[in-house]
Amino acid sequence: MSAIRLLVLGAVRQHGRAHGYQVRNDLEYWGAHEWSNSKPGSIYHALKQMAKQGLLHAHEIAPSTAGGPPRTEYEITEAGTEEYLRLVRESLTSYDQKMDVKSAAIGFIVDLPRGEAVALLKERIRRIEEWRSAVTEHYVPENGPEQLGHIGEIMNLWLHTADAEAEWTQGLIARIEDGAYTFAGEGDPFVGVLAEGEDNPYATDERHPGDAR
Amino acid sequence: MSAIRLLVLGAVRQHGRAHGYQVRNDLEYWGAHEWSNSKPGSIYHALKQMAKQGLLHAHEIAPSTAGGPPRTEYEITEAGTEEYLRLVRESLTSYDQKMDVKSAAIGFIVDLPRGEAVALLKERIRRIEEWRSAVTEHYVPENGPEQLGHIGEIMNLWLHTADAEAEWTQGLIARIEDGAYTFAGEGDPFVGVLAEGEDNPYATDERHPGDAR
DNA sequence: CCCTTACTAGTCAAGCTTGACTACCCACTC
DNA sequence: GAGTGGGTAGTCAAGCTTGACTAGTAAGGG
């Protein structure tokens, strides 16, 4: 599963009501174009698809307020909110994961209650360790790992990566338990979207004028 | 770019001549179904596409030797070999990379001369560090990273991951410089494919009988 | 000798991703 | 007042990925 659905659902949800171009700008604001497949085409496709599936509700809207063609605005439905929370939870726990899904989930972690976030992260560590021992047991031949030749380096890489990730997760759990950040039900949520007309402070030099890169 | 082309080219090349099902079994032997998108459909699609592009040469072949429908055998062309080496080099150096591309490249690293392998890995480290400082400079707001709220944890994750990877790469360079493994032009290459009829020692419990999982 | 099971070797449609392209309007210059 | 540069908002075709499905043969059991 890719991160695009989670990102788009999350963006629409934080806006309340948003059109595609707005979502696109949010994702850029979050830096998502650097670490996930959030090209315009994917975003618009995801919006349409999720509207068809009832996760979003599409309003047909008259011409743009700021020049350009008319736009479609979307609102998240109840089913969409459920799916959103399901995706956040799943992405936080399940290991195997691509960076993009993980990153997106961290971005939305504060939509869960603090206790649940910690529990999910602990579950993630448990799964990493489970995976780790499965791999070492299953993939190390009897005559020692040397028998695999340089192929053994791939396993080495996996294990190294898994360990680094477990370590980072551990750190995050500690910070959250120490009271960092504002979670669901703890007051004003952190707002991570651009208001209409606001400029992206992290603007990459490449804006998207006609998108000819 | 996904890893599938590199994996398929590499598999065909190591066989000399191979049909799709054989490639599919090799990738499973390498464990690639666990860490890359090497589903049957992707493999057959990649074979056809690369044949169309002249990277592979397709022989139409009579019925199977072991029951089942007729099969098409492929051989790598000169253009294919060039593309293969280009992909190995690019995948070893370029950072940003998904795990699957990286893993595939490690699997084929011994097709390069030892000196070049080391040089490419050093270039990889240089790029990781370059990326690292670009990110820290660009994405840390003036008023300190706290201003980002929990979003800062995403950056934290990236940096942690990058550091872990640089460290692992460093270790690999050391092992290679110490004479580990057999590289191009150093004698019998390590063979990582299954001969016809040979059984996969790392067989996952799930074989693929009709593929209905 | 028939029938089930299992393996061989793939195809296919639906969905997803990508890069290039379009169309519109505004602000500005010349 | 005509042209042009750039931002707004999105479409589209080509390619890629996925999961389900097909079809053929061989081996073994009853």
Side-chain angles (χ1 to χ4, degrees):
Chain A
M1 187 223 17
S2 93
I4 189 73
R5 285 175 151 250
L6 177 53
L7 285 168
V8 170
L9 277 178
V12 172
R13 199 177 104 102
Q14 285 195 21
H15 269 292
R17 192 185 230 244
H19 52 92
Y21 194 67
Q22 225 163 4
V23 171
R24 181 178 170 180
N25 275 332
D26 280 348
L27 298 204
E28 189 180 351
Y29 175 44
W30 300 342
H33 56 294
E34 299 217 340
W35 47 265
S36 78
N37 50 337
S38 51
K39 314 279 186 305
S42 298
I43 295 171
Y44 289 110
H45 175 74
L47 283 169
K48 280 187 183 159
Q49 204 65 19
M50 293 195 295
K52 205 158 69 180
Q53 290 165 11
L55 305 181
L56 296 175
H57 180 245
H59 304 264
E60 289 296 337
I61 284 296
S64 155
T65 60
R71 57 209 195 179
T72 310
E73 294 197 332
Y74 295 90
E75 261 175 316
I76 194 166
T77 63
E78 204 161 324
T81 304
E82 253 173 64
E83 173 71 357
Y84 167 73
L85 290 174
R86 197 188 63 72
L87 283 177
V88 175
R89 293 193 173 101
E90 185 192 313
S91 308
L92 280 176
T93 45
S94 92
Y95 183 62
D96 105 319
Q97 220 59 236
K98 286 84 203 170
M99 262 299 240
D100 58 341
V101 182
K102 213 160 40 194
S103 302
I106 300 298
F108 298 129
I109 194 173
V110 294
D111 281 328
L112 303 175
R114 184 180 298 265
E116 188 183 358
V118 170
L120 292 172
L121 290 172
K122 284 186 175 166
E123 170 65 12
R124 161 174 276 269
I125 290 190
R126 206 190 56 69
R127 295 212 197 162
I128 294 176
E129 257 139 35
E130 190 180 82
W131 175 89
R132 196 189 198 291
S133 51
V135 164
T136 43
E137 262 178 50
H138 197 76
Y139 264 83
V140 173
E142 293 111 34
N143 337 9
E146 301 77 28
Q147 207 221 320
L148 277 175
H150 71 285
I151 298 294
E153 290 289 353
I154 297 180
M155 227 188 59
N156 195 319
L157 168 62
W158 296 349
L159 294 181
H160 198 91
T161 306
D163 291 347
E165 194 176 322
E167 196 189 310
W168 172 82
T169 309
Q170 205 63 261
L172 179 57
I173 290 176
R175 287 189 286 281
I176 295 180
E177 282 182 331
D178 277 3
Y181 315 123
T182 307
F183 283 78
E186 298 180 350
D188 292 342
F190 183 88
V191 176
V193 293
L194 293 165
E196 189 103 16
E198 187 183 352
D199 249 20
N200 179 356
Y202 304 124
T204 41
D205 317 343
E206 332 163 3
R207 306 288 300 153
H208 26 75
D211 280 334
R213 303 204 162 177
Chain B
M1 188 223 15
S2 92
I4 189 74
R5 286 175 150 250
L6 177 53
L7 285 167
V8 169
L9 276 178
V12 172
R13 198 177 104 103
Q14 284 193 23
H15 269 293
R17 191 186 232 245
H19 52 91
Y21 193 66
Q22 226 164 3
V23 171
R24 181 178 171 181
N25 274 332
D26 279 348
L27 298 204
E28 188 180 352
Y29 175 44
W30 300 342
H33 56 295
E34 299 218 340
W35 46 265
S36 78
N37 51 335
S38 52
K39 313 278 187 307
S42 299
I43 295 172
Y44 289 110
H45 174 74
L47 283 169
K48 280 187 183 160
Q49 205 64 20
M50 294 196 293
K52 204 158 70 179
Q53 290 165 8
L55 305 181
L56 295 176
H57 180 247
H59 303 266
E60 290 295 338
I61 285 296
S64 155
T65 60
R71 57 210 196 179
T72 310
E73 294 197 330
Y74 295 89
E75 261 175 314
I76 194 165
T77 65
E78 206 162 320
T81 305
E82 253 172 64
E83 174 70 358
Y84 167 72
L85 290 174
R86 197 188 64 71
L87 285 176
V88 175
R89 294 194 173 99
E90 186 194 313
S91 308
L92 280 176
T93 45
S94 91
Y95 183 62
D96 106 320
Q97 222 59 232
K98 288 82 201 170
M99 262 298 241
D100 58 341
V101 182
K102 214 160 38 194
S103 302
I106 300 298
F108 298 129
I109 194 174
V110 294
D111 281 329
L112 302 174
R114 184 179 298 265
E116 189 183 357
V118 170
L120 291 173
L121 289 173
K122 285 186 174 164
E123 170 66 13
R124 161 173 276 270
I125 290 189
R126 205 190 58 68
R127 295 212 197 161
I128 293 177
E129 256 139 35
E130 190 181 83
W131 175 88
R132 195 188 199 291
S133 51
V135 165
T136 44
E137 263 177 48
H138 198 74
Y139 264 85
V140 173
E142 292 111 35
N143 337 9
E146 300 77 29
Q147 207 223 319
L148 278 175
H150 72 285
I151 298 293
E153 291 289 352
I154 297 181
M155 226 188 60
N156 195 320
L157 169 61
W158 297 348
L159 294 181
H160 198 91
T161 306
D163 291 346
E165 193 175 324
E167 194 190 312
W168 172 82
T169 310
Q170 206 62 261
L172 178 57
I173 290 176
R175 287 190 287 281
I176 294 179
E177 281 181 332
D178 277 4
Y181 315 122
T182 308
F183 283 78
E186 298 179 349
D188 292 343
F190 183 89
V191 176
V193 292
L194 293 166
E196 189 104 16
E198 188 183 350
D199 248 20
N200 180 355
Y202 304 124
T204 42
D205 318 343
E206 328 164 5
R207 306 288 300 152
H208 26 75
D211 281 334
R213 302 201 163 179

